[in-house]
């Protein structure tokens, strides 16, 4: 039986029997894998240090981000701080191999979206042996002998398509899940889960295995709440801790409806731009920044343990922390609901 993800008065949550404590704000180190543009090594280091010293927990990374570069950078701060003062989360599902010569990526490999990562070729592998190899590689890059949270990464239709998803789901449950269970029982990993972009797939995994935590990106935000229908109630029932990524829906809730605003990694369509424009107007009428409302809204759901937020500078880390402290009038949430921009039943901050 999975034990409660107990929310504490301090604003933190303990993820089940794992004893892993996360704060209301975590740090997503994906951008520090040089997503789309290169980030200076010292800036990356200072950003991670700022997040760690501010108590952002967990610090979430993956072999996928910069083909291991993000993990390597997280490992650098592990050597600068006390290991047990940090909660480190990483992922499995891809194995790194040395990139030799003019190797041409296969269709099995992820799309190249990193400006400059490590010289590794990534391939999907959710088998037991592949998962163990991935964990070994991550431990070496991070420079640690244990992980606080380990997630099965990207087993969803978005990544593998309708034809490939079922095969990958079966492979993950028969391979990666068994590996994670063993590592948890041996104490190498404290909490296990999945990290994906689709709420309905979280439901599939929640019914299929004994998971402590799930990281869901983009599916519970001020803009849209599909996870509220089935997944979040199920997480409460099964006492699975929920980490949320992508709460700005790839950018538009942070930037507002500006030219070129992005939604789900693509230019925002007119319908989304219109809805966000209306949301922004209501926020401004109450003297609140849309960014602040978008950050605080998802934390109000009782199933949500932490928001995993990205940043590429110490200043952005500080901005995230300040935004979660801003007092937002209750009337703002009521006006959003009255305008049918927010579900009437959606929990909102007190």
């Amino acid at each position: 039986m999975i034990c409660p993800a107990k929310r504490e008065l301090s604003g933190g949550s303990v993820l089940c029997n794992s004893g892993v404590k996360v704060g209301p704000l975590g740090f997503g180190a994906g951008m520090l894998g040089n997503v789309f543009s290169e980030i200076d090594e010292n800036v990356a280091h200072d950003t991670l240090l700022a997040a760690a010293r501010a108590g952002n927990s967990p610090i979430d990374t993956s072999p996928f981000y910069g083909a291991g570069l993000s993990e390597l950078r997280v490992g650098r701060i592990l050597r600068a701080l006390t290991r047990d003062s940090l909660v480190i989360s990483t992922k499995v599902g891809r194995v790194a191999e040395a990139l030799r010569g003019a190797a041409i990526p296969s269709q099995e490999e992820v799309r190249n979206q990193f400006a400059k990562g490590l010289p590794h070729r990534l391939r999907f592998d959710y088998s037991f042996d592949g998962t163990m190899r991935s964990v070994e590689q991550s431990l070496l890059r991070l420079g640690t002998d244990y992980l606080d949270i380990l997630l099965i990464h990207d087993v969803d239709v978005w990544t593998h398509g309708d034809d490939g998803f079922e095969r990958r789901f079966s492979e993950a449950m028969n391979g990666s899940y068994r590996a994670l269970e063993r590592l948890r029982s041996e104490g190498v990993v404290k909490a296990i889960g999945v990290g994906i972009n689709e709420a309905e797939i979280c439901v599939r995994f929640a019914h299929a295995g004994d998971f402590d935590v799930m990281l869901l990106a983009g599916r519970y935000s001020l803009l849209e709440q599909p996870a509220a229908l089935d997944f979040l109630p199920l997480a409460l029932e099964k006492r699975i801790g929920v980490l949320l990524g992508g709460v700005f829906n790839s950018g538009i809730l942070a930037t507002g409806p500006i030219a070129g605003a992005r939604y789900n990694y693509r230019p925002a369509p007119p319908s989304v731009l219109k809805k966000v424009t209306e949301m922004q107007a209501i926020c401004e009428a109450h003297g609140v920044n849309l960014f602040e409302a978008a950050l605080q809204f998802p934390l109000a759901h009782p199933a949500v343990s932490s928001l995993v937020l990205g940043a590429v500078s110490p200043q952005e880390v500080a901005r995230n922390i300040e935004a979660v402290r801003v007092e937002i009038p209750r009337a703002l949430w009521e006006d959003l609901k009255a305008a049918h921009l927010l579900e009437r039943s959606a929990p909102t901050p007190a």
Side-chain angles (χ1 to χ4, degrees):
M1 178 178 177
I2 302 175
C3 63
K6 183 176 72 175
R7 188 183 293 269
E8 298 185 341
L9 293 178
S10 64
S13 299
V14 176
L15 303 176
C16 303
N17 287 330
S18 66
V20 175
K21 183 177 179 180
V22 298
L25 293 187
F27 181 82
M31 297 297 291
L32 300 187
N34 288 345
V35 176
F36 302 125
S37 61
E38 187 174 353
I39 297 172
D40 178 79
E41 189 67 33
N42 290 328
V43 172
H45 181 65
D46 291 346
T47 303
L48 281 162
L49 275 181
R53 288 171 173 164
N56 284 191
S57 174
I59 293 175
D60 179 70
T61 183
S62 167
F64 174 47
Y65 308 145
L69 178 61
S70 174
E71 286 186 326
L72 203 62
R73 286 173 162 173
V74 171
R76 185 180 172 194
I77 68 158
L78 288 182
R79 292 184 286 279
L81 301 172
T82 305
R83 171 65 182 92
D84 60 10
S85 69
L86 301 174
V87 174
I88 302 300
S89 168
T90 193
K91 306 179 182 75
V92 299
R94 295 175 173 91
V95 173
E97 299 172 337
L99 183 61
R100 298 180 180 89
I104 300 174
S106 70
Q107 292 183 353
E108 276 287 281
E109 295 177 287
V110 297
R111 293 182 296 274
N112 180 23
Q113 54 182 299
F114 302 101
K116 185 179 179 183
L118 298 183
H120 294 163
R121 179 178 184 268
L122 297 177
R123 60 176 175 82
F124 288 112
D125 191 338
Y126 298 101
S127 69
F128 182 93
D129 290 344
T131 298
M132 289 298 199
R133 183 178 179 189
S134 175
V135 172
E136 181 180 21
Q137 292 175 344
S138 290
L139 291 173
L140 290 170
R141 283 189 292 263
L142 289 164
T144 184
D145 60 350
Y146 73 92
L147 298 167
D148 300 286
I149 299 171
L150 187 59
L151 307 172
I152 304 171
H153 199 193
D154 284 346
V155 183
D156 49 35
V157 176
W158 171 271
T159 305
H160 301 288
D162 291 319
D163 295 336
F165 164 69
E166 291 296 342
R167 176 172 61 88
R168 289 302 190 183
F169 181 83
S170 177
E171 182 183 356
M173 286 306 303
N174 290 310
S176 293
Y177 176 66
R178 290 193 303 110
L180 266 57
E181 275 195 310
R182 175 179 291 186
L183 292 168
R184 180 172 59 181
S185 70
E186 294 174 348
V188 178
V189 176
K190 294 182 180 180
I192 67 171
V194 299
I196 47 185
N197 296 287
E198 296 160 12
E200 60 271 26
I201 307 304
C202 286
V203 172
R204 285 279 302 271
F205 275 109
H207 284 304
D210 178 14
F211 293 101
D212 304 300
V213 58
M214 294 189 177
L215 171 56
L216 176 64
R219 303 285 75 84
Y220 190 76
S221 70
L222 186 66
L223 184 58
E224 57 184 73
Q225 303 91 45
L229 183 61
D230 294 314
F231 171 55
L232 293 181
L234 181 64
L236 282 172
E237 176 188 334
K238 287 185 167 289
R239 298 180 171 91
I240 297 171
V242 176
L243 312 178
L244 291 181
V247 296
F248 303 117
N249 289 106
S250 304
I252 192 166
L253 289 179
T255 64
I258 62 173
R262 300 184 75 81
Y263 166 75
N264 282 357
Y265 310 104
R266 298 183 177 93
S271 60
V272 170
L273 288 168
K274 179 177 182 294
K275 184 174 182 179
V276 175
T277 298
E278 294 170 357
M279 285 182 157
Q280 182 169 265
I282 290 175
C283 288
E284 290 176 349
H286 289 278
V288 174
N289 189 291
L290 175 67
F291 173 86
E292 296 162 351
L295 194 154
Q296 291 195 28
F297 166 74
L299 277 172
H301 198 289
V304 175
S305 298
S306 183
L307 305 185
V308 179
L309 303 179
V312 295
S313 70
Q315 292 74 27
E316 288 191 5
V317 172
R319 181 190 65 170
N320 292 341
I321 294 169
E322 288 303 313
V324 84
R325 293 173 176 166
V326 170
E327 291 189 19
I328 295 180
R330 184 172 298 179
L332 181 149
W333 311 113
E334 292 303 318
D335 286 352
L336 287 173
K337 291 181 178 182
H340 305 290
L341 296 170
L342 192 60
E343 290 292 331
R344 175 58 63 178
S345 60
T348 53

